């Protein structure tokens, strides 16, 4: 089958510039410029997050409705289900005449029920809807090497495909025509990743307690278990607990949401996910650790009682700190302690 081609003069819009959304939006904008197409239109609630994209030549819009009115394809990259629902409402409220015949693509990881409801609402308004959740952390997004799970009508895929593989993604997995199917695959990937993260954390703690060099474990993971396992292993060195003011590769709150969706869906389907339940419990304890650190409830706490400081932004791999604690080790590695002290 011939490769999808880009429609002449097609206008793209982007809503949501978190760390992942920002990286994807920049790559798409660069591609548009290289193809001689109109620049990417964008909106983000926190305006300053769009400064870098605007500096590249992106067109800042005043609202979600303005993006919807001036774009043929509208991408969404939000934080959670509530944010996606709000954006969909604003797109629809921009007026049926503004979105009829347009394509909305959600890259956010949300509950399949949220996607199913959005599909019905947008189709009633005359727009196509597709789900395209992504696999990969921020550095992978910046490199344009994400894995995308795509589900939607064939016409929607033909329209969107030129801006996915080779632009934001190394590959696109076609899941089906019902958009919620992509979210089910992403949910499956999330609890697989959480289980893998748990195993790798345990392996590193086992190595530390038995005297096995961490470098040997990391080399084994890279050469025998592949790039994903190696990337998770690298996080255990210090990424799992970013320094204050540093951004995580993938946020803990997102992991709690994503793995939580999987656990809830498993229970509803009568398919328990004990490995995901274990990882979810450790993620919750990691979040509690960050909150206690601010409150000064233990050694190494910052801020003290009544401090206005926000909890440190932990990575989704921060369950490593909890696995360390359960083995009698400090949540913080020696590397993290030295880094924080500096």
């Amino acid at each position: 089958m011939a490769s999808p081609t880009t429609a002449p003069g097609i206008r793209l819009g982007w809503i949501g510039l978190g760390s992942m959304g920002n990286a994807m939006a920049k790559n798409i904008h660069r591609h548009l410029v290289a193809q001689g197409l109109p620049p990417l239109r964008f909106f983000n609630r926190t305006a300053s997050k769009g400064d870098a994209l605007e500096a590249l030549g992106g067109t800042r819009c005043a609202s979600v409705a303005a993006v919807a009115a001036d774009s043929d394809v509208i991408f969404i990259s939000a934080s959670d289900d509530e944010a996606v629902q709000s954006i969909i409402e604003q797109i629809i409220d921009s007026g049926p005449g503004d979105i009829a015949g347009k394509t909305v693509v959600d890259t956010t990881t949300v509950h399949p029920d949220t996607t199913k409801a959005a599909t019905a609402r947008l189709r009633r308004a005359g727009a196509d809807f597709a789900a395209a959740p992504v696999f990969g952390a921020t550095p992978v997004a910046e490199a344009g090497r994400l894995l995308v799970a795509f589900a939607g009508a064939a016409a929607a895929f033909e329209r969107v495909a030129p801006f996915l593989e080779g632009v934001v993604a190394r590959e696109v997995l076609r899941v089906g025509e019902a958009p919620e199917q992509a979210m089910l695959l992403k949910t499956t990937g999330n609890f697989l990743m959480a289980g893998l993260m748990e195993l790798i954390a345990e392996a590193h703690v086992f190595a530390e307690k038995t005297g096995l060099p961490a470098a040997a474990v990391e080399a084994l993971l890279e050469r025998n278990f592949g790039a994903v396992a190696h990337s998770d292993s690298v996080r255990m060195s210090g990424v799992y607990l970013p320094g204050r003011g540093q951004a995580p590769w993938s946020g803990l709150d997102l992991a709690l949401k994503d793995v939580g969706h999987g656990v809830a869906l498993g229970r509803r389907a009568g398919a328990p996910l004990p490995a995901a339940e274990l990882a979810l419990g450790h993620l919750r304890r990691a979040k509690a650790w960050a909150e206690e650190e601010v409150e000064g409830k233990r050694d190494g706490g910052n801020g003290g009682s009544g401090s206005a400081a926000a909890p440190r932004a932990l990575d989704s791999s921060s369950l490593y700190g909890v696995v360390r604690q359960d083995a009698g080790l400090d949540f913080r590695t020696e590397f993290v302690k030295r880094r924080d002290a500096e």
Side-chain angles (χ1 to χ4, degrees):
M1 185 176 70
S3 299
T5 56
T6 304
I10 190 169
R11 303 168 302 165
L12 267 63
W14 193 280
I15 300 165
L17 295 171
S19 58
M20 293 289 288
N22 211 349
M24 289 188 284
K26 287 178 182 177
N27 286 332
I28 286 181
H29 173 72
R30 292 187 186 104
H31 176 76
L32 292 173
V33 171
Q35 296 295 313
L37 293 167
L40 185 68
R41 293 154 171 79
F42 70 89
F43 171 79
N44 191 71
R45 187 173 56 183
T46 303
S48 60
K49 290 188 176 181
D51 291 348
L53 184 54
E54 187 174 37
L56 290 175
T59 301
R60 189 190 298 270
C61 295
S63 64
V64 168
V67 174
D70 294 337
S71 304
D72 303 306
V73 176
I74 305 151
F75 285 91
I76 298 172
S77 177
S79 57
D80 55 29
D81 298 57
E82 185 177 352
V84 169
Q85 290 165 344
S86 174
I87 290 167
I88 296 294
E89 289 289 336
Q90 292 173 69
I91 290 173
I92 292 172
D93 287 345
S94 68
D98 289 332
I99 64 169
K102 299 187 178 185
T103 302
V104 179
V105 183
D106 186 19
T107 68
T108 316
T109 300
V110 297
H111 195 287
D113 290 353
T114 300
T115 299
K116 193 171 183 178
T119 302
R121 293 218 61 201
L122 284 163
R123 285 180 178 170
R124 284 197 298 270
D128 267 342
F129 182 67
V134 300
F135 296 87
T138 301
V140 182
E142 290 171 344
R145 299 290 295 166
L146 295 165
L147 178 64
V148 174
F150 187 96
F157 179 74
E158 290 296 316
R159 201 176 199 191
V160 174
F163 310 104
L164 298 178
E165 193 165 339
V167 181
V168 300
R170 66 184 187 273
E171 189 176 346
V172 178
L173 299 178
R174 293 286 303 277
V175 186
E177 294 217 348
E180 63 268 21
Q181 292 295 315
M183 291 305 171
L184 283 170
L185 184 65
K186 181 59 164 61
T187 297
T188 302
N190 286 339
F191 69 72
L192 284 170
M193 286 302 304
L196 180 62
M197 195 85 72
E198 176 75 27
L199 283 172
I200 292 171
E202 291 178 14
H204 273 286
V205 169
F206 175 77
E208 184 169 346
K209 295 285 286 190
T210 60
L212 179 65
V217 175
E218 199 152 290
L220 172 67
L221 288 166
E222 180 179 19
R223 292 163 194 169
N224 202 49
F225 295 94
V228 173
H230 179 243
S231 175
D232 287 350
S233 179
V234 168
R235 291 185 179 193
M236 307 299 167
S237 62
V239 174
Y240 80 100
L241 181 55
R244 289 201 169 275
Q246 294 180 340
W249 282 11
S250 59
L252 172 59
D253 286 340
L254 292 178
L256 285 164
K257 167 183 68 74
D258 296 347
V259 181
H261 281 337
V263 168
L265 283 165
R267 289 174 179 168
R268 189 170 78 180
L273 306 173
E277 295 261 17
L278 175 63
L280 183 60
H282 285 170
L283 290 169
R284 288 171 175 159
R285 286 174 56 192
K287 185 173 180 65
W289 184 94
E291 292 169 348
E292 289 176 4
E293 181 184 38
V294 171
E295 294 167 5
K297 290 183 178 179
R298 47 181 167 64
D299 293 340
N302 294 304
S305 179
S307 168
R312 196 186 309 217
L314 270 59
D315 190 73
S316 59
S317 57
S318 54
L319 55 78
Y320 174 53
V322 173
V323 176
R324 290 176 57 82
Q325 286 181 318
D326 287 348
L329 301 171
D330 195 302
F331 192 100
R332 299 161 296 167
T333 62
E334 292 303 314
F335 169 83
V336 166
K337 290 178 184 177
R338 288 195 302 271
R339 183 203 64 200
D340 286 357
E342 293 169 358

